[in-house]
Short mmCIF file of all heavy atoms in Angstrom, two decimals:
data_model
loop_
_atom_site.label_atom_id
_atom_site.label_comp_id
_atom_site.label_asym_id
_atom_site.label_seq_id
_atom_site.Cartn_x
_atom_site.Cartn_y
_atom_site.Cartn_z
N VAL L 354 304.04 253.74 202.77
CA VAL L 354 304.65 253.42 201.44
C VAL L 354 304.36 254.58 200.54
O VAL L 354 303.24 255.14 200.48
CB VAL L 354 303.96 252.14 200.96
CG1 VAL L 354 304.43 251.90 199.53
CG2 VAL L 354 304.30 250.93 201.82
N PHE L 355 305.35 254.99 199.78
CA PHE L 355 305.18 256.08 198.85
C PHE L 355 305.38 255.52 197.37
O PHE L 355 306.44 254.97 197.01
CB PHE L 355 306.28 257.12 199.09
CG PHE L 355 306.23 257.69 200.47
CD1 PHE L 355 306.99 257.10 201.53
CD2 PHE L 355 305.42 258.81 200.77
CE1 PHE L 355 306.90 257.60 202.81
CE2 PHE L 355 305.36 259.32 202.07
CZ PHE L 355 306.12 258.73 203.09
N ASN L 356 304.35 255.64 196.66
CA ASN L 356 304.32 255.22 195.27
C ASN L 356 304.42 256.45 194.35
O ASN L 356 303.74 257.41 194.42
CB ASN L 356 303.06 254.49 194.96
CG ASN L 356 303.00 253.09 195.64
OD1 ASN L 356 304.04 252.44 195.64
ND2 ASN L 356 301.92 252.76 196.23
N THR L 357 305.41 256.35 193.41
CA THR L 357 305.58 257.41 192.42
C THR L 357 305.35 256.83 191.00
O THR L 357 306.18 256.08 190.51
CB THR L 357 307.02 258.00 192.50
OG1 THR L 357 307.22 258.51 193.77
CG2 THR L 357 307.27 259.06 191.39
N PRO L 358 304.23 257.18 190.41
CA PRO L 358 303.94 256.67 189.04
C PRO L 358 304.57 257.65 188.06
O PRO L 358 304.69 258.84 188.28
CB PRO L 358 302.44 256.65 188.93
CG PRO L 358 301.99 257.71 189.85
CD PRO L 358 303.05 257.86 190.94
N GLY L 359 304.87 257.09 186.89
CA GLY L 359 305.36 257.98 185.80
C GLY L 359 305.25 257.20 184.49
O GLY L 359 305.27 256.03 184.44
N PHE L 360 305.12 257.99 183.44
CA PHE L 360 305.04 257.35 182.12
C PHE L 360 305.40 258.40 181.01
O PHE L 360 305.39 259.62 181.34
CB PHE L 360 303.66 256.70 181.83
CG PHE L 360 302.60 257.76 181.58
CD1 PHE L 360 302.30 258.23 180.29
CD2 PHE L 360 301.81 258.19 182.63
CE1 PHE L 360 301.35 259.17 180.06
CE2 PHE L 360 300.71 259.11 182.42
CZ PHE L 360 300.53 259.61 181.10
N TYR L 361 305.59 257.93 179.83
CA TYR L 361 305.73 258.87 178.68
C TYR L 361 305.26 258.05 177.46
O TYR L 361 305.37 256.83 177.44
CB TYR L 361 307.12 259.38 178.49
CG TYR L 361 308.12 258.42 177.93
CD1 TYR L 361 308.28 258.36 176.52
CD2 TYR L 361 308.84 257.55 178.74
CE1 TYR L 361 309.12 257.46 175.96
CE2 TYR L 361 309.74 256.65 178.15
CZ TYR L 361 309.88 256.63 176.76
OH TYR L 361 310.70 255.69 176.21
N THR L 362 304.87 258.83 176.50
CA THR L 362 304.57 258.17 175.15
C THR L 362 305.18 259.13 174.17
O THR L 362 305.12 260.38 174.25
CB THR L 362 303.08 257.96 174.93
OG1 THR L 362 302.87 257.38 173.64
CG2 THR L 362 302.27 259.30 174.98
N GLN L 363 305.79 258.55 173.13
CA GLN L 363 306.50 259.37 172.10
C GLN L 363 306.19 258.79 170.72
O GLN L 363 306.34 257.55 170.56
CB GLN L 363 307.99 259.41 172.38
CG GLN L 363 308.77 260.15 171.39
CD GLN L 363 310.27 260.13 171.72
OE1 GLN L 363 310.64 260.42 172.86
NE2 GLN L 363 311.15 259.88 170.78
N VAL L 364 305.81 259.64 169.80
CA VAL L 364 305.56 259.05 168.48
C VAL L 364 306.17 260.08 167.46
O VAL L 364 306.30 261.24 167.67
CB VAL L 364 304.00 259.04 168.23
CG1 VAL L 364 303.34 260.40 168.31
CG2 VAL L 364 303.66 258.36 166.91
N SER L 365 306.75 259.43 166.40
CA SER L 365 307.41 260.21 165.35
C SER L 365 307.25 259.50 164.02
O SER L 365 307.13 258.30 164.02
CB SER L 365 308.87 260.50 165.64
OG SER L 365 309.58 259.31 165.48
N LYS L 366 307.33 260.28 162.96
CA LYS L 366 307.22 259.66 161.61
C LYS L 366 308.24 260.42 160.67
O LYS L 366 308.34 261.64 160.74
CB LYS L 366 305.85 259.90 161.08
CG LYS L 366 305.60 259.47 159.63
CD LYS L 366 305.06 258.01 159.55
CE LYS L 366 304.66 257.64 158.14
NZ LYS L 366 305.78 257.37 157.25
N ARG L 367 308.95 259.66 159.96
CA ARG L 367 310.01 260.19 159.10
C ARG L 367 309.42 260.52 157.70
O ARG L 367 308.76 259.62 157.13
CB ARG L 367 311.16 259.26 158.95
CG ARG L 367 312.35 259.82 158.14
CD ARG L 367 313.59 259.06 158.31
NE ARG L 367 313.56 257.81 157.52
CZ ARG L 367 314.56 257.02 157.39
NH1 ARG L 367 315.71 257.20 158.07
NH2 ARG L 367 314.48 255.91 156.64
N PHE L 368 309.69 261.67 157.24
CA PHE L 368 309.34 262.03 155.85
C PHE L 368 310.66 262.54 155.20
O PHE L 368 310.99 263.76 155.31
CB PHE L 368 308.33 263.22 155.80
CG PHE L 368 307.03 262.85 156.50
CD1 PHE L 368 306.77 263.17 157.85
CD2 PHE L 368 306.01 262.20 155.82
CE1 PHE L 368 305.62 262.85 158.48
CE2 PHE L 368 304.79 261.85 156.42
CZ PHE L 368 304.61 262.22 157.79
N GLY L 369 311.34 261.63 154.55
CA GLY L 369 312.64 262.03 153.94
C GLY L 369 313.58 262.39 155.09
O GLY L 369 313.84 261.61 155.97
N ALA L 370 314.15 263.58 154.99
CA ALA L 370 315.07 264.02 156.03
C ALA L 370 314.43 264.60 157.26
O ALA L 370 315.06 265.00 158.23
CB ALA L 370 316.05 265.04 155.39
N TYR L 371 313.09 264.77 157.21
CA TYR L 371 312.32 265.41 158.27
C TYR L 371 311.61 264.39 159.12
O TYR L 371 311.14 263.38 158.60
CB TYR L 371 311.31 266.36 157.70
CG TYR L 371 311.95 267.56 156.98
CD1 TYR L 371 312.18 267.49 155.62
CD2 TYR L 371 312.35 268.74 157.65
CE1 TYR L 371 312.77 268.51 154.96
CE2 TYR L 371 312.91 269.78 156.99
CZ TYR L 371 313.14 269.66 155.61
OH TYR L 371 313.72 270.66 154.99
N ARG L 372 311.62 264.60 160.45
CA ARG L 372 310.87 263.69 161.29
C ARG L 372 310.19 264.53 162.41
O ARG L 372 310.81 264.91 163.44
CB ARG L 372 311.89 262.72 162.01
CG ARG L 372 311.17 261.67 162.82
CD ARG L 372 312.23 260.80 163.56
NE ARG L 372 312.71 259.73 162.76
CZ ARG L 372 312.17 258.52 162.64
NH1 ARG L 372 311.06 258.25 163.28
NH2 ARG L 372 312.73 257.61 161.87
N PRO L 373 308.96 264.79 162.25
CA PRO L 373 308.22 265.49 163.29
C PRO L 373 307.89 264.56 164.38
O PRO L 373 307.74 263.34 164.18
CB PRO L 373 306.90 266.01 162.56
CG PRO L 373 306.81 265.11 161.39
CD PRO L 373 308.17 264.67 160.98
N TYR L 374 307.82 265.03 165.58
CA TYR L 374 307.58 264.13 166.71
C TYR L 374 306.75 264.81 167.84
O TYR L 374 306.63 266.08 167.89
CB TYR L 374 308.88 263.63 167.34
CG TYR L 374 309.86 264.70 167.81
CD1 TYR L 374 309.76 265.22 169.12
CD2 TYR L 374 310.86 265.19 166.98
CE1 TYR L 374 310.62 266.16 169.58
CE2 TYR L 374 311.69 266.17 167.45
CZ TYR L 374 311.56 266.65 168.73
OH TYR L 374 312.50 267.61 169.18
N PHE L 375 306.18 263.95 168.67
CA PHE L 375 305.37 264.45 169.74
C PHE L 375 305.62 263.53 170.95
O PHE L 375 305.76 262.31 170.86
CB PHE L 375 303.83 264.42 169.41
CG PHE L 375 302.97 264.75 170.56
CD1 PHE L 375 302.70 266.09 170.85
CD2 PHE L 375 302.37 263.76 171.34
CE1 PHE L 375 301.85 266.40 171.90
CE2 PHE L 375 301.56 264.07 172.33
CZ PHE L 375 301.31 265.41 172.68
N ARG L 376 305.66 264.17 172.14
CA ARG L 376 305.87 263.33 173.34
C ARG L 376 305.03 263.91 174.44
O ARG L 376 304.85 265.13 174.60
CB ARG L 376 307.33 263.39 173.76
CG ARG L 376 307.60 262.60 175.09
CD ARG L 376 309.04 262.25 175.17
NE ARG L 376 309.94 263.33 175.56
CZ ARG L 376 311.27 263.30 175.52
NH1 ARG L 376 311.86 262.21 175.04
NH2 ARG L 376 311.93 264.30 175.86
N TYR L 377 304.41 263.05 175.26
CA TYR L 377 303.67 263.50 176.41
C TYR L 377 304.36 262.69 177.63
O TYR L 377 304.51 261.51 177.58
CB TYR L 377 302.23 263.17 176.43
CG TYR L 377 301.48 263.74 177.60
CD1 TYR L 377 301.03 265.11 177.63
CD2 TYR L 377 301.24 262.96 178.68
CE1 TYR L 377 300.41 265.59 178.76
CE2 TYR L 377 300.60 263.42 179.83
CZ TYR L 377 300.20 264.77 179.85
OH TYR L 377 299.59 265.26 180.95
N GLN L 378 304.61 263.43 178.72
CA GLN L 378 305.25 262.75 179.88
C GLN L 378 304.57 263.18 181.12
O GLN L 378 304.06 264.30 181.26
CB GLN L 378 306.76 263.00 179.88
CG GLN L 378 307.16 264.45 179.73
CD GLN L 378 308.66 264.56 179.70
OE1 GLN L 378 309.38 263.69 180.17
NE2 GLN L 378 309.19 265.64 179.12
N TYR L 379 304.70 262.31 182.11
CA TYR L 379 304.00 262.48 183.39
C TYR L 379 304.84 261.86 184.51
O TYR L 379 305.23 260.69 184.38
CB TYR L 379 302.61 261.88 183.27
CG TYR L 379 301.87 261.81 184.60
CD1 TYR L 379 300.96 262.83 184.93
CD2 TYR L 379 302.00 260.75 185.48
CE1 TYR L 379 300.21 262.78 186.11
CE2 TYR L 379 301.25 260.70 186.68
CZ TYR L 379 300.37 261.76 186.97
OH TYR L 379 299.65 261.65 188.11
N VAL L 380 305.02 262.62 185.61
CA VAL L 380 305.66 262.06 186.82
C VAL L 380 304.95 262.64 187.96
O VAL L 380 304.68 263.89 187.99
CB VAL L 380 307.15 262.41 186.91
CG1 VAL L 380 307.77 261.84 188.19
CG2 VAL L 380 307.91 261.86 185.72
N ASN L 381 304.59 261.89 188.99
CA ASN L 381 303.89 262.43 190.11
C ASN L 381 304.52 261.91 191.37
O ASN L 381 304.29 260.76 191.79
CB ASN L 381 302.39 262.03 190.03
CG ASN L 381 301.61 262.73 191.13
OD1 ASN L 381 302.10 263.53 191.81
ND2 ASN L 381 300.30 262.40 191.16
N VAL L 382 305.34 262.75 192.01
CA VAL L 382 305.97 262.39 193.29
C VAL L 382 305.16 263.03 194.46
O VAL L 382 304.88 264.27 194.40
CB VAL L 382 307.45 262.87 193.33
CG1 VAL L 382 308.15 262.39 194.62
CG2 VAL L 382 308.18 262.42 192.11
N ALA L 383 304.87 262.25 195.41
CA ALA L 383 304.07 262.80 196.58
C ALA L 383 304.81 263.89 197.28
O ALA L 383 306.07 263.89 197.33
CB ALA L 383 303.75 261.60 197.56
#
Side-chain angles (χ1 to χ4, degrees):
Chain L
V354 172
F355 302 91
N356 289 317
T357 300
F360 72 88
Y361 79 89
T362 182
Q363 176 180 312
V364 62
S365 73
K366 175 95 171 75
R367 185 167 79 174
F368 300 94
Y371 296 90
R372 184 184 278 272
Y374 57 87
F375 175 83
R376 178 159 76 192
Y377 184 85
Q378 51 185 334
Y379 172 94
V380 179
N381 188 2
V382 184

